[in-house]
Amino acid sequence: MAEVQKKNSYGDDAIQQLTPRDHVRLRTSMYVGTPGDGSERDDALYVLVKEVIDNGIDEFIMGYGKSIEITLEGKRVAVRDYGRGIPLNSLDSVVSQINTGAKYNQGEDSAFDKTVGLNGVGVKAVNMLSSHFLVRSVRNGESRTVTFSQGLEVTDRRESGLTEPNGTYVEFEADSEVFGEYAFNMEYVEQIIRNYSYLNIGLTLVLNGKPYISKNGLLDLVNDTLSNEAIYSPIHITGEDIEVVITHGSGYGEAYYSFV
């Protein structure tokens, strides 16, 4: 009796080894969540925006730069911070090589005490998921600009003798090969920027020319989102690495905002 040939044979030729870039593009959700088309708040498009802004937030936390400018026109996003600027010789690898960065060892003797990002993945994923990605760093009169497409380097240029303030500029356009047809919902983007302002007292975030700044942190968030008058003045508790605001209104239902 002839042996039945089984399908789906599992041999060495079935094993694949992907590059980090190919893996990010194939398993996008593992890195930035569900791609989506921008119609939902949790779509990965908004994670891409946050990943880039986070680097400017980290600079602000370290005491460098008090403003971050965000421009969103159509599908192109641009973010300019006024921090120290990414070290020029490492600029290309910091935005293109997974697990490369200055945020693994934190403390008094390191470049960062506290950061939003820790894993050395975020902005690299943005790069690999963008049809166009440009990063420009300015440090003490010197600059370097590198462009990429789908995570692959296209151009590299240096300049000197500049009077431009230090900092980093990033612009990107999410790749339609990964995200399909999509559009940013500005209401969602504005909420992201507003939340950043609540969480970073003294930081000015400018979105398409409109500034967002908070003087009282989460207390401003609660006062701005209350749908009816509070029964009592909000209780505002602050301490090292923690901030809590609680109050009650006269309406039904409840709302919690948690940032970790």
Side-chain angles (χ1 to χ4, degrees), residues 8-260:
N8 303 326
S9 60
Y10 178 37
D12 290 325
D13 57 351
I15 304 300
Q16 293 179 275
Q17 185 175 18
L18 301 179
T19 65
R21 170 185 171 274
D22 290 338
H23 194 262
V24 170
R25 292 180 61 81
L26 182 65
R27 292 290 181 259
T28 300
S29 297
M30 177 177 171
Y31 296 88
V32 294
T34 305
D37 60 2
S39 60
E40 301 294 333
R41 291 182 184 274
D42 294 332
D43 284 349
L45 288 170
Y46 304 107
V47 177
L48 301 186
V49 174
K50 290 192 285 188
E51 289 289 1
V52 176
I53 296 175
D54 282 348
N55 292 324
I57 298 291
D58 289 342
E59 288 297 308
F60 169 76
I61 290 172
M62 290 301 299
Y64 298 95
K66 294 185 177 181
S67 65
I68 299 175
E69 298 165 356
I70 304 100
T71 304
L72 203 164
E73 297 178 346
K75 295 182 177 181
R76 183 153 296 189
V77 180
V79 177
R80 173 58 153 102
D81 70 47
Y82 292 89
R84 292 165 290 185
I86 299 171
L88 301 188
N89 290 337
S90 302
L91 184 62
D92 54 338
S93 60
V94 164
V95 300
S96 65
Q97 295 182 21
I98 292 288
N99 305 326
T100 301
K103 301 174 182 178
Y104 299 118
N105 299 314
Q106 298 185 6
E108 294 182 0
D109 297 328
S110 61
F112 294 90
D113 291 337
K114 302 172 185 176
T115 62
V116 180
L118 293 170
N119 301 314
V121 175
V123 75
K124 289 84 161 173
V126 178
N127 184 356
M128 295 169 186
L129 296 171
S130 297
S131 56
H132 165 76
F133 182 94
L134 179 151
V135 61
R136 183 171 187 266
S137 178
V138 181
R139 287 174 66 102
N140 305 320
E142 305 288 322
S143 78
R144 183 182 179 189
T145 304
V146 188
T147 63
F148 298 82
S149 179
Q150 299 180 341
L152 301 175
E153 187 174 317
V154 178
T155 65
D156 188 344
R157 184 178 78 254
R158 289 181 181 256
E159 298 173 271
S160 60
L162 304 176
T163 58
E164 186 178 346
N166 287 352
T168 302
Y169 172 86
V170 172
E171 67 176 37
F172 71 90
E173 188 169 319
D175 191 356
S176 59
E177 287 187 16
V178 176
F179 294 90
E181 287 300 315
Y182 67 87
F184 286 98
N185 183 322
M186 286 306 298
E187 179 183 341
Y188 298 162
V189 178
E190 288 170 6
Q191 188 59 59
I192 291 170
I193 302 306
R194 200 173 288 114
N195 286 343
Y196 273 124
S197 71
Y198 295 136
L199 293 167
N200 297 278
I201 296 174
L203 172 65
T204 299
L205 297 113
V206 182
L207 175 61
N208 287 351
K210 180 179 179 180
Y212 294 80
I213 185 169
S214 172
K215 295 181 180 180
N216 303 298
L218 295 186
L219 180 59
D220 287 340
L221 183 154
V222 170
N223 287 328
D224 290 348
T225 55
L226 277 173
S227 58
N228 47 65
E229 188 175 350
I231 297 174
Y232 55 88
S233 297
I235 299 169
H236 191 191
I237 303 170
T238 60
E240 186 176 358
D241 296 331
I242 188 169
E243 182 179 5
V244 180
V245 182
I246 303 171
T247 193
H248 287 85
S250 58
Y252 290 96
E254 54 192 14
Y256 298 92
Y257 299 86
S258 176
F259 304 94
V260 180

